[in-house]
Amino acid sequence: MISSLDNSSQQLTSETILLEVKNLVTAFDTDAGQVTAVDDVSFSIQQGQTLGIVGESGCGKSVTALSIMRLLPQPMGHLLGGKILFKGQDLATFPIEEMRKIRGGQIGMIFQEPMTALNPVHRIGKQLSEVFLLHQDITNEEAFTKAIELLDKVGIPSPQIRIKEYPHQLSGGMRQRVVIAMAIACKPALLIADEPTTALDVTIQAQILELLKELQQEMGMSTILITHDLGVIAETCDEVVVMYAGRVAERGSVYDIFENPKHPYTQGLLASIPRLEDERKTCMQTIEGMVPGLLDLPSGCRFQNRCPLREDKCAERQPPEEQIGPDHYVSCFRHSET
């Protein structure tokens, strides 16, 4: 029997790895056969750090997060290989009952769309109180009081009123704050934020990102931020993982990725960011083509059909991940030429 984790089970230092994902492989059963959505993905995050996972839609970012949380849709989702080491214990081997204690208690998750993450037929207070009742030995009244305090903490005005409302009665920004409140209710060691600002306007997006930053500093959490916005990555993250078609193309510090990108895909993403100083340019730079479907992956390097540096061997085999700096890794045969 695997014992559940608690906040006091291990004393972590600033240099201790809180989460280490090793060679993760996740697949789904489909009518056309089994497809691999996450293939040999590895990365780690230390206590108090923010790790950004970036890439186009369909690159496996969200599936990676759901794999860590063991929330893959059933019965079609499968962890086929690898390890998910959280505080030294492999979550991939945990029974479902043990994982329920981890979710919300030790690892919180902000889902991509708050309207679907919240139950439309239950009031905010009931949904938020449930988190406390599941993970703490307290009464309904105490849980309700804590829920009001938490809504106030995440910046929702008149929390005593809002807590009695339904999700559809709140604005998009308020719903996102409720989802954040649910994710941090039990002060988790790790927070996974899956595109937490995608559906919000720019002003609200900035407020949500600032809120997450303040909460992280106050609670000492580690954060995994999943996004397609490199501007958000640059402002908030310490380490970056660039994913493409289910694999890691490049990973390293924010400085490595933004100042010394080595994978052509990373370079393409950075080149596509609009810059005010480029006044003479009338068209935005793009990466030609699209991310391949899981049933139609090219042989060899998965980026080779879109890569400006492609050569014959790129179509023959997958380039291995090479370490090119202290914490800088890239999977590209021609990284030394970029």
Side-chain angles (χ1 to χ4, degrees), residues 42-54:
S42 298
F43 59 84
S44 63
I45 180 171
Q46 294 181 355
Q47 177 78 18
Q49 275 193 335
T50 298
L51 171 74
I53 303 180
V54 68

Side-chain angles (χ1 to χ4, degrees), residues 192-208:
I192 301 176
D194 187 2
E195 302 201 27
T197 60
T198 298
L200 306 175
D201 62 56
V202 176
T203 302
I204 303 300
Q205 179 186 86
Q207 293 175 2
I208 294 298

Side-chain angles (χ1 to χ4, degrees), residues 169-299:
Q169 295 177 281
L170 304 181
S171 67
M174 282 191 180
R175 285 196 295 267
Q176 191 64 286
R177 289 174 186 268
V178 171
V179 173
I180 292 172
M182 294 176 70
I184 67 163
C186 296
K187 299 182 178 180
L190 175 65
L191 177 67
I192 301 176
D194 187 2
E195 302 201 27
T197 60
T198 298
L200 306 175
D201 62 56
V202 176
T203 302
I204 303 300
Q205 179 186 86
Q207 293 175 2
I208 294 298
L209 291 173
E210 185 62 30
L211 172 62
L212 290 175
K213 183 177 180 180
E214 291 174 359
L215 290 171
Q216 181 183 20
Q217 292 175 345
E218 178 183 336
M219 302 169 66
M221 297 182 300
S222 298
T223 303
I224 296 177
L225 178 62
I226 298 170
T227 182
H228 58 268
D229 190 333
L230 282 167
V232 171
I233 292 287
E235 292 179 10
T236 61
C237 296
D238 303 299
E239 302 286 328
V240 185
V241 174
V242 181
M243 291 189 67
Y244 183 79
R247 294 184 65 94
V248 174
E250 188 169 2
R251 57 189 174 104
S253 68
V254 168
Y255 178 85
D256 290 332
I257 297 303
F258 281 83
E259 297 297 327
N260 190 31
K262 288 299 183 181
H263 197 285
Y265 180 59
T266 309
Q267 294 171 348
L269 290 176
L270 291 170
S272 67
I273 300 175
R275 288 176 170 81
L276 293 176
E277 62 268 22
D278 296 338
E279 297 178 355
R280 293 173 294 177
K281 293 183 178 179
T282 57
C283 296
M284 293 177 60
Q285 293 191 46
T286 61
I287 303 174
E288 294 185 5
M290 297 179 65
V291 178
L294 296 178
L295 292 170
D296 192 31
L297 293 173
S299 59

Side-chain angles (χ1 to χ4, degrees), residues 1-210:
M1 182 67 177
I2 301 174
S3 61
S4 61
L5 304 176
D6 57 58
N7 285 322
S8 61
S9 60
Q10 296 185 37
Q11 295 297 318
L12 296 173
T13 67
S14 60
E15 296 300 316
T16 298
I17 293 176
L18 178 66
L19 175 76
E20 186 172 13
V21 175
K22 291 184 175 182
N23 310 113
L24 180 66
V25 180
T26 302
F28 293 94
D29 295 329
T30 70
D31 293 338
Q34 192 174 76
V35 295
T36 302
V38 173
D39 189 4
D40 198 29
V41 167
S42 298
F43 59 84
S44 63
I45 180 171
Q46 294 181 355
Q47 177 78 18
Q49 275 193 335
T50 298
L51 171 74
I53 303 180
V54 68
E56 295 168 276
S57 297
C59 285
K61 307 184 300 297
S62 294
V63 175
T64 299
L66 293 174
S67 299
I68 294 171
M69 296 290 285
R70 299 281 303 280
L71 285 174
L72 296 171
Q74 295 301 311
M76 66 285 294
H78 307 281
L79 289 178
L80 296 185
K83 295 182 178 182
I84 307 168
L85 300 175
F86 179 66
K87 294 187 176 180
Q89 298 191 54
D90 189 3
L91 299 184
T93 65
F94 270 37
I96 294 301
E97 287 301 319
E98 291 296 322
M99 276 305 303
R100 286 177 181 149
K101 297 175 184 178
I102 301 299
R103 299 187 200 118
Q106 289 289 296
I107 305 177
M109 185 165 180
I110 303 170
F111 292 92
Q112 194 168 135
E113 175 47 60
M115 197 59 191
T116 57
L118 296 170
N119 192 321
V121 301
H122 290 301
R123 299 179 192 273
I124 297 302
K126 177 178 174 59
Q127 299 185 59
L128 193 48
S129 297
E130 188 177 18
V131 180
F132 293 109
L133 293 172
L134 285 172
H135 296 282
Q136 299 179 11
D137 185 17
I138 58 177
T139 65
N140 289 328
E141 292 75 14
E142 290 171 332
F144 197 78
T145 300
K146 283 194 170 189
I148 294 175
E149 294 172 352
L150 198 53
L151 288 183
D152 183 60
K153 188 181 188 67
V154 297
I156 292 183
S158 305
Q160 298 89 345
I161 297 174
R162 298 300 183 185
I163 202 165
K164 299 176 183 178
E165 295 182 335
Y166 291 93
H168 72 271
Q169 295 177 281
L170 304 181
S171 67
M174 282 191 180
R175 285 196 295 267
Q176 191 64 286
R177 289 174 186 268
V178 171
V179 173
I180 292 172
M182 294 176 70
I184 67 163
C186 296
K187 299 182 178 180
L190 175 65
L191 177 67
I192 301 176
D194 187 2
E195 302 201 27
T197 60
T198 298
L200 306 175
D201 62 56
V202 176
T203 302
I204 303 300
Q205 179 186 86
Q207 293 175 2
I208 294 298
L209 291 173
E210 185 62 30

